[in-house]
Amino acid sequence: MIFARSGLAALFLVVAALPTDIPAGAAAPPLDAPARVQRLDAPGLPPRWLDDGQALAREALGLLADAGSHGLDPALYGTATLARRLEAADPADIGFERDLGAAVLRYLADLHGGRTASPYRTGPPADGFDPAAALRRALDAGRVATAVASAAPAIVLYGRVRETLARYRLLAQEHPSWPPLPAGGAAPAAAAEALRERLRTLGDLEDGAEGDGAGEADGAALAAALRRFQSRHGLEQDGVLGPATRAALAVPPARRAVQLALTLERLRWLPPLHGRVIAVNVPAYRLWAFDGVPGGPPVLEMRVIVGKAAGTPTPLFLGQMRYLEFNPYWNVPHSIAGAEIAPKLARDPGWLRRNDMELVTADGRVLAAAGADAPAALRAGSLRVRQRPGARNVLGAVKFAMPNPMNIYLHSTAARELFARSRRDLSHGCIRVEDAAGLARFVLADPQRWDAERVAAAMRPGPSRTVALAVPVPVVLFYATAVADRHGRALFADDIYGRDAALLRALGGGGPARTIEPTQTERSTTAHDGRFMIEGEVR
């Protein structure tokens, strides 16, 4: 299974400094409308929206009406009401220009930093973007659109997702809901034709890829198209119309459009990033490493295992990977020691020894044996437990440390068979990586001292060894159930943590939960014929 291959490959276009080790936090409230308008007016006279035949006002209203293309609701900015007021041209409506300016400023602020609290910062965006200054410059140049362009995230993935959203909004208009696919007992020809038409509409089955509908070649083409669909939706690629694939085929385009709109909101949360970066999309169970080439493909990609949805989800934050530990000890967190290990030790005093674990006192002494009071001491926190390096160690041969208050890190694992599962939320919160050796070579970034042979040697059983990175590597733990890859393919994943639903609630009635009709711009610029063509310490 492959989800979002290269789909996050362009997160890192803008060259700017990356904040260090930012935990989740609530964003500061946005600047209120009166304050924005006051700042817009500060350099001199208020903007004259109605001069020159109302050209600037009409351009501004057109941009507000196009907010849906960014996954934002034009109703948030009073677009329809402002348009009616402009058409009425009431001389007594002296507040129109003020209200239009406030609406545009709110739109610019939402477009740049998002409408909701970002888990990646504790205040407004730190890049210095000022909606009032951006709008003032645009008005001075007579082009309001330049302010909108400067507010939108300068992330290649953002543009790709926005284009995909436009296609899915058009598709939702043509197909508000899908007719049910025939059940397994239906006539085979009818069932195959219904599936064929669904896959053709979604772009997974191209024209001319099938025969007359009954031959062996047709069956092979249909199975191949189904595997393409399964690949795009994070499903097992077996070419069989099983329950999970049938459920994904039944999701209406409007719901997929909502997922894409939520991704745009999440991308607005991110600070500017640059250079070598590691990105993990949690619901896709996928990691990418980028070498800093703007818009370039990842130099490394692998499957990962993330935190369990039930109880230990992986948190979202920006971290800095600072060192590696080869043959690491696993220092078991107190929560796991008390809740999981203490009961096992109480039932079986030899359990620690058989699992290569040892008890450690508060002052660092290793106890030779576990006494009868050890389970209680583990629950109380007066003793801790650690697992020695070796074949049984749950961290495997290497740990990738990015110090943070939640004690989340990346590590290898001996249980490699788990990567074959399609659903991989299996850990206590940390991220297990499929290709630990490849990731180690990437972050060490020294082919002379750390080539493949030397990394392999360091990962073989032996004493624990810590290696500091010459340059810390930023790590982005991201969450998106819909992205677009560099070939324009729409890629979807299950909302394993329920974060889509939570974000929709946070956005309230004015967010992307609303079905927004395609704009005239989308209708005129999106080539669309009813289908989409596919281009070729926790643990």
Side-chain angles (χ1 to χ4, degrees):
M1 180 204 72
I2 297 177
F3 172 87
R5 181 171 293 278
S6 303
L8 294 179
L11 269 174
F12 317 110
L13 174 66
V14 180
V15 177
L18 176 71
T20 59
D21 306 325
I22 305 177
L31 191 67
D32 60 31
R36 290 192 190 115
V37 174
Q38 184 178 16
R39 292 179 65 181
L40 179 62
D41 296 347
L45 295 175
R48 303 294 299 171
W49 292 100
L50 300 178
D51 291 348
D52 299 324
Q54 304 178 342
L56 285 177
R58 294 187 181 279
E59 182 189 4
L61 287 171
L63 293 167
L64 293 177
D66 189 53
S69 73
H70 290 276
L72 297 168
D73 187 352
L76 286 167
Y77 313 106
T79 307
T81 299
L82 287 167
R84 287 194 295 270
R85 290 169 64 183
L86 180 62
E87 293 304 322
D90 183 356
D93 190 1
I94 59 175
F96 172 81
E97 291 181 297
R98 178 200 62 221
D99 294 344
L100 179 58
V104 174
L105 286 172
R106 180 182 179 187
Y107 177 43
L108 295 178
D110 291 348
L111 185 59
H112 186 72
R115 289 188 54 229
T116 51
S118 167
Y120 303 110
R121 62 175 187 262
T122 56
D127 60 0
F129 178 77
D130 182 346
L135 181 54
R136 170 60 68 179
R137 288 192 299 269
L139 290 169
D140 289 344
R143 287 287 310 279
V144 186
T146 60
V148 173
S150 68
I155 299 172
V156 173
L157 180 60
Y158 186 92
R160 291 175 184 160
V161 173
R162 187 181 173 213
E163 291 172 0
T164 306
L165 172 62
R167 297 200 302 267
Y168 268 81
R169 288 171 64 191
L170 287 166
L171 186 61
Q173 190 178 43
E174 297 172 2
H175 301 276
S177 62
W178 296 120
L181 291 172
E193 180 54 36
L195 176 59
R196 187 179 297 108
E197 181 58 31
R198 183 74 50 85
L199 293 171
R200 186 182 295 114
T201 301
L202 291 170
D204 296 295
L205 180 65
E206 299 183 13
D207 285 335
E210 71 272 16
D212 59 7
E216 182 176 338
D218 180 75
L222 187 59
L226 196 57
R227 284 192 291 271
R228 282 192 289 271
F229 175 87
Q230 291 167 332
S231 172
R232 293 195 303 107
H233 292 76
L235 302 169
E236 183 180 357
Q237 299 171 51
D238 56 8
V240 176
L241 185 58
T245 301
R246 184 180 289 272
L249 283 163
V251 176
R255 190 185 303 177
R256 296 302 189 194
V258 169
Q259 289 178 259
L260 290 159
L262 293 179
T263 297
L264 292 178
E265 175 71 3
R266 288 168 170 138
L267 289 171
R268 288 189 280 265
W269 293 344
L270 291 174
L273 304 169
H274 78 101
R276 302 170 70 253
V277 178
I278 294 169
V280 177
N281 189 8
V282 172
Y285 314 113
R286 207 104 190 144
L287 175 150
W288 300 265
F290 305 92
D291 60 5
V293 176
V299 297
L300 191 64
E301 178 181 0
M302 67 189 70
R303 294 175 290 189
V304 299
I305 292 167
V306 301
K308 299 173 187 175
T312 55
T314 296
L316 307 183
F317 65 99
L318 301 181
Q320 296 277 355
M321 188 179 295
R322 299 184 181 278
Y323 63 91
L324 276 62
E325 290 183 25
F326 291 108
N327 293 300
Y329 281 89
W330 177 38
N331 293 293
V332 182
H334 173 65
S335 59
I336 299 176
E340 300 182 26
I341 293 179
K344 294 175 182 177
L345 183 58
R347 292 191 301 268
D348 180 3
W351 188 88
L352 290 178
R353 175 178 47 79
R354 289 197 305 277
N355 286 276
D356 290 337
M357 291 185 170
E358 57 195 16
L359 294 172
V360 183
T361 64
D363 59 4
R365 291 182 298 108
V366 176
L367 299 184
D373 60 344
L378 285 176
R379 294 189 184 95
S382 56
L383 283 180
R384 62 184 178 89
V385 63
R386 70 179 184 181
Q387 189 175 39
R388 292 182 290 272
R392 294 180 180 274
N393 189 288
V394 299
L395 303 188
V398 59
K399 168 185 171 181
F400 303 86
M402 46 182 186
N404 60 85
M406 296 155 287
N407 199 22
I408 297 296
Y409 46 84
L410 284 64
H411 65 89
S412 57
T413 177
R416 298 189 56 79
E417 70 280 0
L418 298 179
F419 290 109
R421 297 188 183 183
S422 57
R423 177 154 184 167
R424 296 193 296 277
D425 57 318
L426 306 169
S427 81
H428 283 87
C430 285
I431 298 165
R432 308 175 198 173
V433 301
E434 182 180 28
D435 182 9
L439 187 61
R441 292 194 299 273
F442 172 80
V443 299
L444 289 167
D446 188 347
Q448 299 301 317
R449 295 182 56 200
W450 289 105
D451 59 11
E453 182 178 345
R454 292 182 180 180
V455 168
M459 292 176 64
R460 285 194 281 269
S464 185
R465 177 184 181 186
T466 298
V467 179
L469 300 183
V471 179
V473 178
V475 180
V476 184
L477 303 187
F478 193 65
Y479 193 100
T481 62
V483 295
D485 69 9
R486 58 195 177 98
H487 301 296
R489 299 192 313 160
L491 306 159
F492 300 100
D494 289 339
D495 183 18
I496 57 173
Y497 293 169
R499 285 184 171 270
D500 280 2
L503 181 53
L504 283 171
R505 289 193 297 270
L507 288 164
R514 289 185 48 163
T515 299
I516 305 171
E517 293 299 316
T519 65
Q520 185 59 43
T521 301
E522 290 171 345
R523 290 191 181 96
S524 62
T525 60
T526 303
H528 181 75
D529 62 356
R531 72 198 74 179
F532 305 140
M533 304 310 295
I534 295 179
E535 301 177 17
E537 223 144 31
V538 230
R539 58 176 170 87

